Amino acid sequence: MLRSCEILRGRLRFEDTWCRTAAEERAPQQPWPRQVDHSHADTQESLFDQLLTIWSAERPRLFVDVGASAGGGFHRNASDVHFFRDRFPQGETLAVEMVAPFAEMLSASFAERYDGKLRLDVANVFLDVEDDPEPRDVVLDFPPVVRGRSISFQTLLSCCQENARHPHFMQLHAEGVQTFCSVACAWKHREDGSKWRVPRVRWDSLWQSRLGRRKVDFIKVDFDPGHAHWQRHLRRGWRDFFDSRAFSVMTLELDERAYYEHLREFLEFMRARDYYVFLKWPCTRRRFDGDFQTTAYVPLTDPLMEPLPASIAAGLSPQDLLVLDRRQPELFRLVALGNAACGTNFPEPRNPWPVW
């Protein structure tokens, strides 16, 4: 266990809390409580509420939403750009959305919600590992059930056939609520294939061109590349962003088994850049996708918990990771806040900031 720790002048140099726990604490691993529900987008509002007790709402915060629409599932007619700005109204917002009608709806709903007082920059692009400014058709590769389908075909199938029959959407539409999906189905360009085409861009390039390489306060990453392609993104599309330690808080969706099979590699990747990784752990059930769920946070970087439960490691349901900057120790209050909200007792990381 100590092979990952650096030996310095005859003493262990505790480069991270994993080493500290292994060498000093010899703490027994704690069992996992029973899982209430899988954690994903529905826990974001709980996280934002808890962050509001740590971060001032008056200070400008740079927020990035990668995969920004609320239209891909049976969600409420809102997305994280709305939920975050409801709580932190100061600062810039960048949303990355590859589905053209969703990008238009996002801009319109944001302007309406905040009476045009807040600015939203929407990048209607496809995140890839190469830059290609020529607008092209997007053909999906992940998840396997949609592989080979164009984004236009899949969007119209999901929205205008599958979701249109779902009781939650039917209720919203009966109430006259214009959802992301209803916008896609009524979009005047829905039959024009050229209007669905988008340029390809690496996140590093977008971060440079749209944000000037500034540090991001919060970035949500949910654009469903699949694990194999995400590995290529880490090497070629996002590497400069990570190596520059350009964010304070990140949530990252895991949506297939391969993420868990290679989880240790990701933990090592983030630990080398001084970030600490948690798994969101919801403690309240939801009535439907998009419902509010309270969440706690399970430490993954330290060996404080027993091995992942089989139900999670199987990757059958989406789960969210929470990644925190170890150099901002105030962020680790989220563990205590999550425990208090959920009645859980997840261990807090040992001194989660450099001490040398």
Side-chain angles (χ1 to χ4, degrees), residues 3-23:
R3 284 178 294 180
S4 296
C5 303
E6 180 182 350
I7 304 297
L8 182 66
R9 298 190 183 95
R11 297 180 298 170
L12 278 172
R13 177 175 178 176
F14 300 121
E15 293 288 353
D16 50 53
T17 57
W18 187 85
C19 295
R20 178 180 300 280
T21 300

Side-chain angles (χ1 to χ4, degrees), residues 73-77 163-175 177 179 287-291:
F74 309 134
H75 299 296
R76 289 174 296 187
N77 191 32
N163 289 1
R165 296 191 295 266
H166 190 274
H168 185 53
F169 267 128
M170 292 175 67
Q171 178 183 346
L172 290 175
H173 296 160
E175 295 171 355
V177 175
T179 67
R287 296 164 297 169
F288 49 81
D289 281 356
D291 197 13

Side-chain angles (χ1 to χ4, degrees), residues 252-267:
L252 171 67
E253 182 199 42
L254 308 185
D255 51 12
E256 66 170 329
R257 182 170 185 164
Y259 282 101
Y260 299 98
E261 293 173 345
H262 298 272
L263 182 59
R264 184 179 180 86
E265 297 170 19
F266 182 72
L267 297 180

Side-chain angles (χ1 to χ4, degrees), residues 150-171:
S150 69
I151 191 63
S152 57
F153 175 86
Q154 184 59 41
T155 299
L156 296 176
L157 174 65
S158 296
C159 280
C160 310
Q161 296 184 40
E162 297 170 355
N163 289 1
R165 296 191 295 266
H166 190 274
H168 185 53
F169 267 128
M170 292 175 67
Q171 178 183 346

Side-chain angles (χ1 to χ4, degrees), residues 50 279-283 294-298 335 338-339 342 344 346:
Q50 292 161 359
L279 178 70
K280 286 185 185 176
W281 193 261
C283 59
T294 305
T295 188
Y297 309 97
V298 187
V335 180
N339 282 336
C342 287
T344 49
F346 291 121

Side-chain angles (χ1 to χ4, degrees), residues 33 43 69 76 107 114 128 145 172 189 196 243 246 257 282 316:
T43 56
S69 75
R76 289 174 296 187
S107 295
Y114 304 111
D128 210 338
V145 69
L172 290 175
H189 302 300
W196 295 85
D243 286 350
R257 182 170 185 164
L316 300 178

